[in-house]
Amino acid sequence: MSYLSKVISGRCPNCGKEKIFYDKGNSITFRMPKMSPRCPHCQYNFHRETGFYFGAMYVSYGVTVAEMITIMVLRLILNELFGLHISMLDAFIVIVAVLFVFWTFNYRVSRIMWLNMFYKKE
């Protein structure tokens, strides 16, 4: 499996059979996604060491910035091509709403990306 397919599937980087997160969480009720400590199939350790996922915060930051840039580009396209005049305040409100809805997704994707970046065959 390629890196991208491992991240998209969200499965164990070792065997690819089981999901890394057994609960996706909920952004509306502020329920955090829950991650398995080990793969139920191959027993691959998802928690490499204490503090392993601190680096995933930087990945999450990058994903969040990419989402914000996408919204701003869409704003420019709507303003220029379709003549809609969306103010910066409106764009800011949309960004806050999108980031609120996608925070659990960003959390899961950043951890999955970080885990796959430092995958070691056991």
Side-chain angles (χ1 to χ4, degrees):
M1 291 179 83
S2 70
Y3 174 79
L4 190 58
S5 64
K6 288 180 183 180
V7 170
I8 290 172
S9 70
R11 297 191 180 275
C12 173
N14 195 41
C15 68
K17 305 255 189 237
E18 300 289 332
K19 294 266 187 189
I20 295 171
F21 284 89
Y22 63 88
D23 181 15
K24 292 184 176 184
N26 189 330
S27 59
I28 306 301
T29 60
F30 297 104
R31 196 175 77 234
M32 291 291 293
K34 296 195 175 43
M35 187 175 183
S36 303
R38 293 186 165 274
C39 176
H41 185 262
C42 69
Q43 298 304 311
Y44 182 78
N45 185 9
F46 295 143
H47 297 282
R48 309 295 302 166
E49 60 189 32
T50 303
F52 175 72
Y53 288 106
F54 282 144
M57 290 187 301
Y58 296 105
V59 176
S60 179
Y61 175 76
V63 170
T64 302
V65 168
E67 290 169 354
M68 288 190 278
I69 289 172
T70 302
I71 292 168
M72 292 307 291
V73 167
L74 285 173
R75 176 189 169 267
L76 287 173
I77 290 171
L78 291 173
N79 282 350
E80 296 297 322
L81 294 180
F82 298 108
L84 298 174
H85 296 290
I86 300 169
S87 70
M88 288 298 285
L89 179 61
D90 292 338
F92 176 76
I93 292 168
V94 169
I95 286 172
V96 169
V98 166
L99 295 181
F100 176 75
V101 170
F102 284 116
W103 73 267
T104 56
F105 172 78
N106 292 347
Y107 179 83
R108 284 184 288 122
V109 165
S110 63
R111 281 189 167 223
I112 291 168
M113 289 173 73
W114 192 256
L115 181 64
N116 280 290
M117 272 191 262
F118 295 100
Y119 166 65
K120 294 179 187 173
K121 183 84 172 153
E122 286 187 346

